[in-house]
Amino acid sequence: MANPDHPKQPPNPEKKALYSEAELAERRRQLDAMWKKSEATQKARADEERAKTAQQVKGVYKNLGVESPTEREKSRERATEIVLRDGGVNIHMSVRQEVSNAAYQTGFQNLTTRINADQRRYPAGQALSEIEAHLVAGNDLMRGKRRDEVLKEHDIKEFIDIRHLTKQVEEETSPAKKGFLGTNFGAKRAEKRYRQEPVLHSERVIDGKNEPAVRLTYYIPQTEWKDYSGRPGQSMMVDIVLPESEAEEIGKILERDPAAVRKIVERIMKEKILKNPDDWEAQQPKSDPLRPPYEQWDSAGSRIYLQKEGMKPGF
């Protein structure tokens, strides 16, 4: 029941609001500014924490003597760009003629880019003989073991060899001399002397540089990897001819990260050899992709072996 001493007051339509529209707008602006400042502060703290963590992780990798994933990816890109820019390349493997402008038939053949016409020879000749001479220890050679047998024994599916290219040059010739009074007595045959001389990058590579050439050979022996026909025994031989100064940088990258060679070969195939870059990973009609089965080899514990001139022969 209503209290007669305090009668109910009717609403007053003229009563003023607590805040004007302008004051409300200003209040909202202040709140928005406070919110943005809070978000910026939190983001700055989060960025600072991430940077601190990244620096700590980088320090751990440095103490272990290895590159961080980010540094490793940058190194791989750097090595690949050098090869694409200045490298002359000869790849020997089995492909279908229709997948590459460089292919002249179907089957095992040379796929080249920037190699001088007179140098487009089967790369496995000189390169593989030098690899074998350096790789296989003397006792293995005496037992008649072949290069691929030794690699298989050590579970090596990928092999890298880096060395200067040299050529044999005639240095001095001693002419033949007749014997005493035209007889054979005291006669002397002509003698030739030779010396090894560096091959220039420009001698092997179109628009190459006038500095010593270094050959980087990436070799995958015949394995269970299948070629275009479905037969096991696909292999790959990649010869990359580089200027000495740039080969030194790539050599250091490969010493830290031998798998960088995979990235290099992939970019060469996609950008210089294949008509369609997708054919690198694509399943072939009857067989395995052109891309080697790296994941299968890695999961099985297979290794990449790198050797450079001057290293002690053998393992």
Side-chain angles (χ1 to χ4, degrees), residues 50 93 115 126 149 170 196 244 267:
R50 279 193 292 269
M93 69 181 303
I115 295 292
Q126 180 184 4
E149 290 178 302
E170 186 175 327
Q196 292 297 114
E244 182 182 54
R267 290 278 301 276

PDB file of all heavy atoms in Angstrom, residues 50 93 115 126 149 170 196 244 267:
ATOM      1  N   ARG A  50      59.280 -13.592 -27.736  1.00  0.00           N
ATOM      2  CA  ARG A  50      59.619 -14.433 -28.892  1.00  0.00           C
ATOM      3  C   ARG A  50      61.051 -14.188 -29.336  1.00  0.00           C
ATOM      4  O   ARG A  50      61.790 -15.128 -29.657  1.00  0.00           O
ATOM      5  CB  ARG A  50      58.652 -14.159 -30.047  1.00  0.00           C
ATOM      6  CG  ARG A  50      57.316 -14.881 -29.916  1.00  0.00           C
ATOM      7  CD  ARG A  50      56.547 -14.839 -31.214  1.00  0.00           C
ATOM      8  NE  ARG A  50      56.111 -13.498 -31.549  1.00  0.00           N
ATOM      9  CZ  ARG A  50      54.944 -12.995 -31.189  1.00  0.00           C
ATOM     10  NH1 ARG A  50      54.100 -13.742 -30.496  1.00  0.00           N
ATOM     11  NH2 ARG A  50      54.607 -11.769 -31.533  1.00  0.00           N
ATOM     12  N   MET A  93      70.498 -39.021 -66.359  1.00  0.00           N
ATOM     13  CA  MET A  93      69.501 -39.877 -65.733  1.00  0.00           C
ATOM     14  C   MET A  93      68.525 -40.359 -66.801  1.00  0.00           C
ATOM     15  O   MET A  93      68.582 -39.925 -67.949  1.00  0.00           O
ATOM     16  CB  MET A  93      68.778 -39.151 -64.602  1.00  0.00           C
ATOM     17  CG  MET A  93      67.864 -38.032 -65.039  1.00  0.00           C
ATOM     18  SD  MET A  93      67.030 -37.166 -63.650  1.00  0.00           S
ATOM     19  CE  MET A  93      66.186 -38.515 -62.826  1.00  0.00           C
ATOM     20  N   ILE A 115      76.190 -25.549 -70.675  1.00  0.00           N
ATOM     21  CA  ILE A 115      77.460 -26.216 -70.940  1.00  0.00           C
ATOM     22  C   ILE A 115      77.834 -26.000 -72.408  1.00  0.00           C
ATOM     23  O   ILE A 115      77.001 -26.168 -73.296  1.00  0.00           O
ATOM     24  CB  ILE A 115      77.364 -27.732 -70.645  1.00  0.00           C
ATOM     25  CG1 ILE A 115      77.129 -27.961 -69.153  1.00  0.00           C
ATOM     26  CG2 ILE A 115      78.620 -28.464 -71.110  1.00  0.00           C
ATOM     27  CD1 ILE A 115      78.290 -27.595 -68.258  1.00  0.00           C
ATOM     28  N   GLN A 126      85.073 -39.136 -66.685  1.00  0.00           N
ATOM     29  CA  GLN A 126      86.146 -38.598 -65.852  1.00  0.00           C
ATOM     30  C   GLN A 126      85.714 -38.429 -64.408  1.00  0.00           C
ATOM     31  O   GLN A 126      86.443 -38.786 -63.479  1.00  0.00           O
ATOM     32  CB  GLN A 126      86.601 -37.252 -66.419  1.00  0.00           C
ATOM     33  CG  GLN A 126      87.736 -36.626 -65.606  1.00  0.00           C
ATOM     34  CD  GLN A 126      88.115 -35.252 -66.133  1.00  0.00           C
ATOM     35  OE1 GLN A 126      87.493 -34.741 -67.055  1.00  0.00           O
ATOM     36  NE2 GLN A 126      89.137 -34.665 -65.538  1.00  0.00           N
ATOM     37  N   GLU A 149      79.423 -50.865 -54.999  1.00  0.00           N
ATOM     38  CA  GLU A 149      79.422 -51.887 -53.951  1.00  0.00           C
ATOM     39  C   GLU A 149      79.865 -51.289 -52.616  1.00  0.00           C
ATOM     40  O   GLU A 149      79.290 -51.588 -51.567  1.00  0.00           O
ATOM     41  CB  GLU A 149      80.361 -53.030 -54.339  1.00  0.00           C
ATOM     42  CG  GLU A 149      79.866 -53.879 -55.499  1.00  0.00           C
ATOM     43  CD  GLU A 149      80.873 -54.947 -55.862  1.00  0.00           C
ATOM     44  OE1 GLU A 149      82.025 -54.601 -56.175  1.00  0.00           O
ATOM     45  OE2 GLU A 149      80.508 -56.136 -55.840  1.00  0.00           O
ATOM     46  N   GLU A 170     101.052 -29.871 -72.742  1.00  0.00           N
ATOM     47  CA  GLU A 170     102.431 -30.221 -73.081  1.00  0.00           C
ATOM     48  C   GLU A 170     103.341 -29.059 -72.699  1.00  0.00           C
ATOM     49  O   GLU A 170     103.130 -27.914 -73.084  1.00  0.00           O
ATOM     50  CB  GLU A 170     102.539 -30.495 -74.579  1.00  0.00           C
ATOM     51  CG  GLU A 170     103.913 -30.996 -74.984  1.00  0.00           C
ATOM     52  CD  GLU A 170     103.984 -31.372 -76.459  1.00  0.00           C
ATOM     53  OE1 GLU A 170     102.960 -31.834 -77.001  1.00  0.00           O
ATOM     54  OE2 GLU A 170     105.063 -31.192 -77.043  1.00  0.00           O
ATOM     55  N   GLN A 196      99.876 -30.233 -65.312  1.00  0.00           N
ATOM     56  CA  GLN A 196      98.452 -30.030 -65.095  1.00  0.00           C
ATOM     57  C   GLN A 196      98.162 -28.534 -64.962  1.00  0.00           C
ATOM     58  O   GLN A 196      98.891 -27.825 -64.267  1.00  0.00           O
ATOM     59  CB  GLN A 196      97.992 -30.759 -63.832  1.00  0.00           C
ATOM     60  CG  GLN A 196      98.039 -32.273 -63.936  1.00  0.00           C
ATOM     61  CD  GLN A 196      97.113 -32.802 -65.007  1.00  0.00           C
ATOM     62  OE1 GLN A 196      97.562 -33.362 -66.007  1.00  0.00           O
ATOM     63  NE2 GLN A 196      95.815 -32.641 -64.807  1.00  0.00           N
ATOM     64  N   GLU A 244      85.617 -20.780 -59.142  1.00  0.00           N
ATOM     65  CA  GLU A 244      86.291 -21.183 -57.903  1.00  0.00           C
ATOM     66  C   GLU A 244      85.792 -20.414 -56.685  1.00  0.00           C
ATOM     67  O   GLU A 244      85.535 -21.005 -55.628  1.00  0.00           O
ATOM     68  CB  GLU A 244      87.793 -20.960 -58.073  1.00  0.00           C
ATOM     69  CG  GLU A 244      88.630 -21.373 -56.880  1.00  0.00           C
ATOM     70  CD  GLU A 244      90.094 -21.086 -57.109  1.00  0.00           C
ATOM     71  OE1 GLU A 244      90.428 -19.922 -57.434  1.00  0.00           O
ATOM     72  OE2 GLU A 244      90.914 -22.006 -56.981  1.00  0.00           O
ATOM     73  N   ARG A 267      65.669 -27.242 -57.854  1.00  0.00           N
ATOM     74  CA  ARG A 267      65.455 -25.983 -58.565  1.00  0.00           C
ATOM     75  C   ARG A 267      65.996 -26.055 -59.989  1.00  0.00           C
ATOM     76  O   ARG A 267      65.396 -25.484 -60.912  1.00  0.00           O
ATOM     77  CB  ARG A 267      66.131 -24.837 -57.795  1.00  0.00           C
ATOM     78  CG  ARG A 267      65.471 -24.462 -56.477  1.00  0.00           C
ATOM     79  CD  ARG A 267      64.290 -23.533 -56.648  1.00  0.00           C
ATOM     80  NE  ARG A 267      64.645 -22.295 -57.306  1.00  0.00           N
ATOM     81  CZ  ARG A 267      65.169 -21.219 -56.698  1.00  0.00           C
ATOM     82  NH1 ARG A 267      65.383 -21.260 -55.370  1.00  0.00           N
ATOM     83  NH2 ARG A 267      65.444 -20.122 -57.360  1.00  0.00           N
TER      84      ARG A 267
END
